Amino acid sequence: MHTFVYQRATSLADAVAVLKAKPDARPLAGGMTLLPTMKLGLAAPSDLIDLSAIGDLRGIRRNGDRVVIGAMTRHAEVAASAEVRAAIPALASLADGIGDAQVRNRGTLGGSVANSDPAADYPAAVLGLDANVLTDRRTIAADQFFLGMFATALDAGELIRAVEFRVPKRAGYAKFPNPASRYAMVGVLVADYGGSVRVAVTGAGACAFRVPTLEAALGKQFSAAAIEGIEVSASELNTDLHGSAEYRAHLVGVMARRAVAAALG
Amino acid sequence: MAIPMDLQVNGQAVHLEVEPETLLVDALRNALQLTGTHVGCDTSQCGACTVHVDGKSVKSCTMLAVQAAGTAITTIEGLGSPGALHPMQAAFRQHHALQCGFCTPGMIMSAVDLLARNPNPSEAEVRAGLEGNICRCTGYHNIVAAVLDCAKVMNSAPSREKAHG
C-alpha cells in the first residue's frame, strides 16, 4: 500500500477543513471498501482522515416520524438496535445481511451510502425509506442523492453527518445475494406509507433506483399478488459474469414480491 | 513517518511505533510476534486474520494498525493456552473441526464472537454467523458441530468463565 498521512479528526468541522485544504485527502469511515481499494493500488490518497473519533457521528435516535442514524454507526449496531427493530425492522434486517459479521462490525452507514456501490444494500434503504442525507452543509433528499455508479450528489470534501429514515407503516427487504461475495445481485426494499408505496432496487442498475410501476400497483393493493406479472424493463440494467440484465429484471419482480411478503410478515 | 500508539493486546499494555500503512495483522505478526493470527487471502474474504477489537470480530488485514490505537485486542494466543484451552478451542479439538488448521484461529475467534452475541444459536445461525470465514478443507460440518457443542457446554456451566475476548 502507498503511504499516506494519517490523521484522526476530532470534529466534523476539523475533518471538513482538512479535506478542503488537501484535495487528495480521503475520509476514512469503516474502511471496508477504501482499504481494499488502496491495497490493490486503485486509490492512493495523500492523507486519510479517520472519522471514528468524532462522537457526534455515532448513534441512533427516534425523532418524530424519523429514525436518525449517525454516519459512523456500524452495520452491526443498526442490526442490533432496539430503536431500529421497533420502528423499521426491515432496516435492522437489511443491516444484518450486509457482508459478513466482521464487515458489519467495521462498516458504516455513511461510508456505504457515500460510496454508492451499485450492489450495496443501504442505498435501497435510503431510497425506499424516503430518507434525507444530512451532510456537514445541507440536507439532500434520497431521490436526489444517488446519481450513478459510485456517484452521488455529495460535493468533493462534503461529509455525511447522519441519515434520517422516514418510518413507514410497514416495510420489507429481500435480496438475492451473490453466493460468494454476499453483495446484492438484486435487492428490493418495499415501504408502505399508507396509500403511497416506495419500491427501491439495488444491485440491478448503475445505482439504486425506484420502480414506479410496482409502486403504483402496490399503492392500490399492498400484496404480492398485486405485482404478479408486472414486467420490469431490462434495458438499463447490469449485465456481468454473475447474470444478464434480463435475469436481473426478472429478479427485481421476484425480490419485490418477497419484500412485500416480508413486510406483511 | 512512524506513529507512536498505545493499545492493549491480550490483556497487556503495548506501545508500538507503526507506519500509517501498516496493517493491524502485520503489526500483530511482525512487531508483536503473535503469529497465531494468519494471513490467508489478504483481501478481506477469508477471515483467517480475524481478531477481536474491543470484543468484536474484525478482519485484521483490513484495518490499519493505527486505527487500533486505544483499543483492546484479543488474538487466538489470548483466548486460551495449551494447558487451559478456551471451551471453543476444546470443542474444535474434540470434534476435529479442522484439517490443515490454517483457517482455525480466525474461525475460532469468529465463533467466540458469535456465541457472545447469540449464546444459543441454531445450526442455520451458526452457518450464517461464520459466513466471513472460509475453510477449504472440512466442508464446515465439524466446525458447525463444534460451535453448537461449545454453546451447550458454555450454557450448562454458567459459573465457568465465559471468555469473550
Side-chain angles (χ1 to χ4, degrees):
Chain A
M1 196 189 305
H2 228 272
T3 193
F4 50 85
V5 176
Y6 171 88
Q7 308 184 45
R8 243 184 219 202
T10 51
S11 71
L12 190 61
D14 179 26
V16 169
V18 178
L19 289 167
K20 195 173 177 188
K22 301 189 170 186
D24 294 327
R26 290 286 300 274
L28 175 64
M32 293 296 94
T33 297
L34 181 56
L35 294 176
T37 307
M38 289 171 66
K39 287 169 75 175
L40 289 169
L42 298 172
S46 63
D47 298 64
L48 280 189
I49 317 301
D50 188 344
L51 306 177
S52 64
I54 307 174
D56 295 350
L57 298 183
R58 298 288 282 274
I60 298 168
R61 65 189 168 86
R62 178 79 185 251
N63 182 13
D65 70 341
R66 301 271 170 176
V67 171
V68 187
I69 305 181
M72 284 297 289
T73 309
R74 317 271 179 193
H75 308 327
E77 293 165 352
V78 174
S81 159
E83 198 86 75
V84 177
R85 282 169 175 266
I88 320 177
L91 181 58
S93 132
L94 174 146
D96 201 36
I98 297 173
D100 54 48
Q102 294 98 315
V103 167
R104 293 191 289 273
N105 282 336
R106 292 295 298 164
T108 66
L109 169 64
S112 171
V113 171
N115 194 42
S116 186
D117 188 301
D121 295 284
Y122 265 134
V126 172
L127 198 54
L129 294 166
D130 197 18
N132 287 323
V133 179
L134 314 180
T135 78
D136 62 88
R137 59 200 73 169
R138 58 178 168 152
T139 296
I140 308 171
D143 284 320
Q144 271 79 54
F145 187 82
F146 299 104
L147 302 183
M149 193 173 281
F150 302 110
T152 70
L154 291 171
D155 291 333
E158 183 173 11
L159 290 175
I160 299 176
R161 205 156 47 75
V163 178
E164 46 174 41
F165 297 91
R166 184 154 71 97
V167 177
K169 192 173 140 199
R170 54 197 168 188
Y173 179 67
K175 85 163 156 176
F176 190 97
N178 178 301
S181 73
R182 318 312 289 170
Y183 270 100
M185 292 274 295
V186 167
V188 179
L189 191 134
V190 173
D192 180 7
Y193 285 96
S196 101
V197 172
R198 293 174 72 97
V199 176
V201 177
T202 191
C207 64
F209 62 91
R210 291 170 62 190
V211 188
T213 50
L214 296 179
E215 291 181 349
L218 289 168
K220 284 186 201 135
Q221 190 205 326
F222 195 79
S223 74
I227 51 173
E228 186 85 52
I230 295 181
E231 298 241 337
V232 175
S233 164
S235 69
E236 305 220 346
L237 301 190
N238 300 335
T239 289
D240 58 25
L241 76 165
H242 306 301
S244 65
E246 290 72 22
Y247 181 59
R248 282 190 165 85
H250 173 72
L251 278 182
V252 170
V254 177
M255 292 302 118
R257 291 196 294 276
R258 287 185 191 174
V260 171
L264 291 169
Chain B
M1 196 181 68
I3 302 171
M5 60 181 274
D6 291 290
L7 72 166
Q8 267 200 23
V9 180
N10 298 332
Q12 304 283 312
V14 170
H15 178 81
L16 287 175
E17 308 238 332
V18 297
E19 297 300 324
E21 68 274 22
T22 302
L23 300 171
L24 177 58
V25 70
D26 291 328
L28 293 171
R29 287 179 55 85
N30 301 336
L32 300 176
Q33 295 287 298
L34 292 169
T35 53
T37 301
H38 291 167
V39 178
C41 68
D42 200 24
T43 55
S44 57
Q45 316 284 321
C46 80
C49 64
T50 301
V51 300
H52 294 179
V53 178
D54 290 334
K56 299 198 166 101
S57 60
V58 160
K59 291 176 183 173
S60 61
C61 82
T62 310
M63 183 169 170
L64 301 171
V66 286
Q67 288 179 286
T71 67
I73 292 192
T74 306
T75 68
I76 190 73
E77 291 92 341
L79 212 56
S81 62
L85 294 180
H86 182 281
M88 189 65 75
Q89 293 171 312
F92 266 59
R93 183 171 72 170
Q94 191 189 340
H95 289 270
H96 194 59
L98 57 125
Q99 197 166 313
C100 83
F102 195 85
C103 73
T104 310
M107 199 65 83
I108 287 178
M109 297 311 285
S110 282
V112 169
D113 184 23
L114 169 67
L115 292 192
R117 283 178 286 115
N118 180 1
N120 196 15
S122 65
E123 181 185 333
E125 286 169 336
V126 171
R127 289 184 184 275
L130 295 178
E131 259 178 7
N133 293 76
I134 294 174
C135 170
R136 296 289 77 156
C137 305
T138 67
Y140 303 97
H141 182 82
N142 288 359
I143 293 172
V144 174
V147 177
L148 288 170
D149 192 39
C150 181
K152 249 190 251 165
V153 168
M154 289 174 78
N155 288 334
S156 69
S159 62
R160 190 166 176 176
E161 187 196 354
K162 290 190 181 183
H164 51 73

